Each structure stands twice: as C-alpha cells, then as structure tokens.
Amino acid sequence: MREWLFKNRAADWEQMTNLPKTLRSELAEGLQLWTTEIVRHTQSDDGTEKLLLQLADGGQVECVLLRDRVRRTICISTQVGCGMGCVFCASGLDGVDRNLTTGEIVEQILRLQHLLADDERLSHLVVMGMGEPLANLDALLPALEESHRPDGLEISHRRITISTVGLPKSIERLARTNASYRLAVSLHAPNDELRNQLVPVNEKIGLTAILEAVDNYFAVSGRRLTFEYVLLANINDDPQHARQLSQLLRGREALLNVIPYNPVAGLPYQTPSHQRQTQFRQILEASGIRVHFRHLKGDRIDAACGQLRRSQAGPQVVSLG
Ligand code: SAH
C-alpha cells in the first residue's frame, strides 16, 4: 500500500491492482483513503501551484508546490491557523484552531505529489506553511519519517527544512532526537525590543535563549542554520538593523534568508523599495554574512502562508489592534 501511495501515486484503493480484489473492496468500504477535499487549486505562470484543502471538520489549510529548474519543493502546513501571532502574517490573524494530525500532514504531501507530471519527482520539503511546526512535533515527526523512508518518497533529511518562530525547548528536543533536519529560524528583528513587537511570543523567550538552542542544534547536527528575516518597510529595514543583524549572526555557520514582505490585505505593512532592499543587503554582505534574497514566488496566487485561506473566506475586517 505504501508503495502504491508514495511511489505509484495511486488515487484510490481500486488502483492497487496487486492487492486481492476482495481486500480492495473491503478497504474501499471500510477505510477512507482521503480525508481532505481540494476546495481551491491555483496556478501561476512561474509553475507554482497552491492547494486549499478542507479537512473533515471543516477547517482549512494551504500547501504549495514550487518549481525551480529541477527542484520540486513542497511547502506544508502543521496547524489550522497559528498561535504565534506574528503581526504581519496572515495565518495567525485569528489564532490557532487545532494541530493537524500526522495523516493530514502526509495527505498534503501526497496531494501535492499528484500535481506532478510522471517524469517529475519531489526533491525538497519545507515546513513553512500555516502554523508553528515545533508546537506540533508529535504529529509532524512521523509525517516526515514517511517522506524520507526508502519505500516512501525518499526525500533525504538534508532536503527537509523545518521553519520555526524559535521555541528553545522544542529545538532542544529535535537536537536530542531528530537532528538530521535543516532548521530555519524566523528572526525578523536583530534585538528583543523590536522582536517583541513583531513576534509577540518573543517576550517570554528572547533572542539569547533561541540562539543558544540553535547553536546547540548546529553543534549536534552539523547542518547549516538558516535565519529568516521578513523585510518590512520602515520597521526593520533600517541600515542600523542590518548592522545589528550582522553582529548577531557573525561567527555562525548560517544563511540569512531575507524575504521582502508579501502584503496581506487589511494589514498596514509595506514592502521596502528596491533601493532600501539593496542597501540592507549590501551592509550584510560587506560584513561577510551569507545572504539570500528570496523572490516573491507565487505572490499573485496568494502563495504566502495563510493568504489563500483568507481570500477564500471573503472580505474580512481585520483588527489592527
Ligand atoms: N511558524 C513558522 C513557519 C510558518 S511561517 C515560522 O514562524 O517560521 C514561514 C515564514 O513565512 C516565516 O519566516 C514567516 O515569518 C514568513 N511570513 C509570514 N507571513 C509573511 C508575509 N506576509 N510576507 C513574507 N513572509 C511572511
């Protein structure tokens, strides 16, 4: 069955033709293969495709397939909504409803795999969709296991990235038990004062504890760390911020992924101008930090996390409190 599902991309029990016919009909009657429904499927010119899935209880989550030369990267969600409350993010605007189950996480992976042509195969997996993955590790880890098993999708560990707001206890747990994945930490600010404003959970955590946990993760895993920084005009894009950031990251084997803000309807934040982005980048590069500016892939199909779900829900009044 695993082979049929993961290797042969079977869509139902009936297609699993080397199972006895009676077993197939018993399975079809007694065991539901898919628990989600595709309520929206959007595609953009650059090959990005996005699915909005409806869960059995009516909740909705998003997942994305990105095509970049030979790379086929999928981005999956771990929760319905998000409890971290980052002020610029669409996923957390209404808080978190619930954790996804392992099955619901695996189902996103399979649904996205079904979008591929026969000669395409999934190469990378990023856990950067809706939700905070480290708040749902119990369901996530078995789903990732399925992705890299030799009789599953065979995506190697180093091509699987977990993105987190930075929860030190869970990072420590990962370091103890599953240090083979890549870790990406959403930083967004070079000091606690600013980070507390943008990432409210930071108030109880603080950058020192996060950096300590990720340094330990790096020591155990040997995997280069990634830091993410959403660039918001006139908020965290000042040359002073770039200088502080380079000091914070200096000496670490790390990549800084700068993501120009992808506007969310109803929120007051803006994408910095090209000139401002270049200035930010140059300061970091001059101080020897490895920087990558992420292009806004799929922005026209609301491919930033949480945006499709909101646009589907129709016009909404968003509280800016
Ligand atoms: N909760 C995890 C993973 C989900 S968010 C985390 O915080 O890392 C994945 C990444 O997308 C995060 O770096 C997040 O800050 C970023 N992001 C969220 N909303 C965005 C937006 N509107 N524009 C650009 N990046 C955004």
Side-chain angles (χ1 to χ4, degrees), residues 88 230-237 259-264 267-273 276-277 296:
F88 50 83
V230 173
L231 211 56
L232 304 156
N234 304 319
I235 291 184
N236 64 357
D237 67 338
I259 317 162
Y261 179 60
N262 197 354
V264 175
L267 291 185
Y269 306 101
Q270 280 162 1
T271 316
S273 65
R276 193 87 164 162
Q277 291 184 30
L296 289 179

Side-chain angles (χ1 to χ4, degrees), residues 82 84 86 88-90 127-133 163-165 184 186 188 228 230 259-264 294 304-305 307:
C82 185
M84 301 299 116
C86 302
F88 50 83
C89 174
V127 192
M128 283 189 191
M130 290 167 56
E132 170 48 46
S163 176
T164 175
V165 75
S186 296
H188 310 323
E228 288 156 292
V230 173
I259 317 162
Y261 179 60
N262 197 354
V264 175
R294 199 191 286 166
C305 51
Q307 299 196 17

